[in-house]
Amino acid sequence: APMRFTWPVTRVLSDTTWIGDILIPARVDQAAGTSLKISPGTTVRFAKKSSIWTYGPFEALGTPEKRIVFTAAEDTDDNLYWDQITSERTTARFENCDFHNAYMAVHVHFSNVTIKGCYFSRNESGFRVRGGPVEISDSLFTDNVYGMVSYLAKGRIHGNLFRNNDIGILIRAERRGGMHVNDNNIYGNKRYDFRMGDFNRGEDVDARGNWWGNADGPGAKIRDASNEPGIGMIFYQPFASKPYKLNLPEEN
């Protein structure tokens, strides 16, 4: 195994590639105009409450054989151990990455972000977005408090599994139908599979074509204007009559 390297400064000021076993001891800011790349097979470990804030292009492109792992610096069940990877008004790509024990594992602010083949577990929020646009596909969200949270965002969420979270998907302040959640398997979450949240002002969300765990649709595991007037509807019909065969990462 590679020797663990502690990142020694609080800013990334030139094009940088991380490889091996990297420890982030505190918040690290990637400066605008620089690129930060994470090599396949790399493990990035975060000390308590540490984070990465990216203001330039960020790429974490693992492979199925050499996944990239973002996790706590020590073995823990604490789903608030480290803080977040925030993409601020830039671009980011995550492929074949695993995220564990974060407050907000991936946090998007007005950035163009794609996520493919990733695994989110034991986080407060697996993914949060404001603005976007975002695309999430072929990814697994399980054992988080919130699988995904969207606020005034636009994007396409397809081909994913949301299962065994407290709330699978939460949409707050939907913006003119900008978020499309289709062709996913969304079931077995503890409180809600899909919930419309605050500030929706009657805006609706497109959630057609998903599998909800049975052939009769989502049942009581969604919350929208049908049981809380004014927060917008989750349009889920037509829905899938059987689960999709998804191309997902393995749980670990």
Side-chain angles (χ1 to χ4, degrees):
M3 181 179 295
R4 186 171 301 173
F5 176 76
T6 300
W7 185 249
V9 293
T10 59
R11 301 190 69 195
V12 175
L13 297 175
S14 61
D15 293 349
T16 300
T17 299
W18 288 346
I19 185 170
D21 192 336
I22 309 294
L23 175 65
I24 307 300
R27 171 170 166 165
V28 173
D29 285 13
Q30 175 199 343
T34 70
S35 68
L36 178 57
K37 298 181 179 180
I38 316 297
S39 297
T42 296
T43 297
V44 180
R45 304 180 194 273
F46 292 83
K48 193 77 171 177
K49 305 301 182 185
S50 63
S51 58
I52 299 171
W53 288 66
T54 72
Y55 299 89
F58 180 93
E59 289 187 354
L61 304 181
T63 69
E65 296 78 24
K66 293 184 176 181
R67 300 184 64 81
I68 295 170
V69 178
F70 298 95
T71 191
E74 56 184 308
D75 290 336
T76 180
D77 293 326
D78 182 359
N79 64 352
L80 297 169
Y81 186 92
W82 58 280
D83 194 26
Q84 58 193 281
I85 301 172
T86 295
S87 179
E88 184 76 46
R89 298 181 186 275
T90 184
T91 62
R93 294 172 61 199
F94 299 89
E95 294 184 8
N96 299 300
C97 297
D98 300 337
F99 303 87
H100 308 302
N101 301 113
Y103 171 46
M104 293 184 286
V106 176
H107 192 191
V108 175
H109 274 185
F110 308 103
S111 297
N112 190 330
V113 174
T114 59
I115 292 178
K116 183 179 177 64
C118 292
Y119 175 39
F120 297 83
S121 75
R122 305 188 304 279
N123 306 291
E124 177 75 9
S125 297
F127 179 84
R128 286 193 178 224
V129 54
R130 178 170 184 175
V134 298
E135 181 175 9
I136 306 176
S137 62
D138 304 329
S139 294
L140 171 61
F141 296 79
T142 185
D143 299 312
N144 307 285
V145 178
Y146 300 94
M148 184 191 100
V149 179
S150 169
Y151 180 81
L152 287 172
K154 59 182 178 179
R156 184 166 175 248
I157 316 301
H158 61 99
N160 307 288
L161 172 59
F162 295 85
R163 184 190 64 203
N164 204 38
N165 307 285
D166 192 32
I167 296 176
I169 298 173
L170 174 65
I171 303 288
R172 300 179 66 238
E174 172 68 353
R175 171 172 276 174
R176 296 184 292 277
M179 189 59 67
H180 299 270
V181 183
N182 313 110
D183 306 330
N184 305 280
N185 293 339
I186 309 171
Y187 67 93
N189 297 285
K190 297 168 188 174
R191 292 177 58 201
Y192 297 105
D193 291 326
F194 203 133
R195 192 198 194 300
M196 297 294 275
D198 305 330
F199 313 122
N200 278 302
R201 302 185 183 91
E203 292 282 347
D204 305 316
V205 66
D206 172 17
R208 297 174 173 91
N210 296 295
W211 163 253
W212 300 97
N214 60 72
D216 298 321
K221 286 293 187 78
I222 67 169
R223 188 168 186 85
D224 61 7
S226 63
N227 41 36
E228 187 177 334
I231 64 171
M233 293 294 295
I234 298 170
F235 289 134
Y236 61 84
Q237 292 180 317
F239 49 81
S241 59
K242 59 183 179 180
Y244 292 102
K245 294 182 179 179
L246 304 176
N247 183 25
L248 298 174
E250 294 184 3
E251 298 184 48
N252 54 67

